[in-house]
């Protein structure tokens, strides 16, 4: 019974591996690296965090050093806790080579984008999220180490190309598909909100001026 179970498990595993789409894995890996890179850019470069060093001083105490928070293991580990949830905002498309790829359907600040040549299904979004989780589980440590010193292109090359082997040199030299512009309906909504904010600011300024004038008048009467 145990042998049969192991055989079925290995057969299922090999079947899943055989069905793995390297084009999608390459695209998701690159998008994952880009999302991590964006998370790094959101942190003030001046922020530091103290971390322990393997070196010890003459008294046997472990040395503490300061490193940039943005690229620290502490911050990047936190980033990875939710990074794959972002792939619910991605859809399937094709790149310049005609290979399968992925692209954002929603801007990073939550605004809907114009969707062109994008295939969207709930199953597809689940698959992208699952693919991200598979890559993150396998290569999180390598991505974190690569980002300590490397920039986006170097991390893509090292992780998605050299280590994982998802992307060829040609893949990595091909730009990822660009997200579409913000939808016109959203632009109209943004403009309306901006106008309302301006009106509120003008109203607040008017109220402040009236209060100031009233206060000055009261002061003069007291004198």
């Amino acid at each position: 019974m145990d042998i049969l179970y192991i055989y079925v498990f290995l057969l299922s595993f090999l079947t899943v591996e055989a069905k793995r789409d390297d084009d999608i894995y390459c695209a998701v890996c690159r998008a994952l690296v880009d999302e991590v890179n964006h998370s790094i850019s959101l942190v003030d470069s001046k922020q530091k965090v103290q971390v322990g060093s393997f070196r010890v001083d003459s008294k046997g105490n472990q040395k503490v050093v300061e490193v940039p928070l943005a690229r620290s293991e502490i911050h990047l580990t936190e980033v990875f806790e939710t990074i794959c949830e972002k792939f619910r905002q991605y859809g399937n498309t094709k790149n310049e080579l005609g290979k399968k790829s992925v692209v954002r359907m929603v801007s990073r600040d939550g605004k809907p984008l114009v969707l062109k040549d994008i295939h969207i299904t709930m199953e597809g979004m689940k698959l992208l999220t699952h693919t991200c989780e598979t890559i993150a589980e396998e290569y999180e440590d390598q991505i974190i180490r690569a980002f300590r010193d490397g920039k986006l292109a170097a991390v893509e090359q090292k992780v998605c190309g050299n280590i994982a082997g998802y992307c060829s040199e040609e893949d990595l030299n091909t730009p990822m598909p660009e997200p579409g512009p913000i939808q016109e309906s959203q632009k109209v909504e943004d403009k309306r909100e901006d106008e309302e904010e301006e009106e509120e600011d003008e109203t607040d300024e008017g109220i402040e001026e009236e209060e100031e004038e009233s206060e000055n008048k009261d002061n003069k009467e007291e004198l």
Side-chain angles (χ1 to χ4, degrees), residues 41-216:
S41 71
L42 297 178
V43 179
D44 187 346
S45 60
K46 295 179 181 179
Q47 281 190 275
K48 306 287 184 180
V49 63
Q50 291 186 339
V51 297
S53 170
F54 288 112
R55 297 180 180 179
V56 295
D57 59 24
S58 58
K59 296 180 179 180
N61 298 317
Q62 187 180 30
K63 289 186 176 180
V64 175
V65 297
E66 283 194 343
V67 299
L69 173 62
R71 293 179 181 273
S72 69
E73 184 174 354
I74 294 172
H75 175 241
L76 293 179
T77 299
E78 290 179 355
V79 167
F80 266 91
E81 289 178 2
T82 57
I83 197 75
C84 290
E85 293 177 9
K86 298 181 186 297
F87 281 84
R88 296 171 186 170
Q89 300 175 334
Y90 278 78
N92 295 86
T93 188
K94 291 188 177 181
N95 63 19
E96 294 177 2
L97 300 177
K99 291 185 175 183
K100 295 175 184 177
S101 191
V102 297
V103 68
R104 268 188 163 277
M105 301 181 294
V106 180
S107 69
R108 286 193 166 108
D109 57 357
K111 295 177 181 177
L113 303 176
V114 174
L115 306 180
K116 183 180 180 181
D117 299 327
I118 298 177
H119 183 60
I120 309 166
T121 63
M122 287 301 297
E123 192 63 33
M125 286 188 282
K126 288 179 181 178
L127 178 60
L128 295 183
T129 302
H130 173 71
T131 302
C132 173
E133 290 169 348
T134 301
I135 296 171
E137 183 178 357
E138 184 74 18
Y139 299 108
E140 177 179 341
D141 291 342
Q142 289 93 324
I143 295 173
I144 288 175
R145 284 199 295 271
F147 260 118
R148 286 179 186 169
D149 302 307
K151 304 299 182 183
L152 178 61
V155 177
E156 276 190 350
Q157 176 70 58
K158 186 173 184 178
V159 177
C160 304
N162 301 344
I163 296 175
Y166 298 139
C167 306
S168 66
E169 198 68 37
E170 183 181 40
D171 291 329
L172 293 169
N173 289 330
T174 303
M176 289 287 285
E178 288 287 335
I182 296 174
Q183 292 183 9
E184 286 299 323
S185 58
Q186 182 63 47
K187 289 181 180 179
V188 172
E189 179 66 19
D190 289 345
K191 184 178 180 181
R192 184 185 64 78
E193 289 179 357
D194 289 341
E195 289 174 349
E196 288 179 353
E197 287 180 3
E198 288 178 5
E199 289 177 1
E200 288 177 2
D201 291 340
E202 290 174 358
T203 301
D204 291 341
E205 288 176 4
I207 292 173
E208 288 176 2
E209 288 177 359
E210 288 179 2
E211 290 177 347
E212 186 175 349
E213 289 176 2
S214 176
E215 185 177 344
N216 291 336

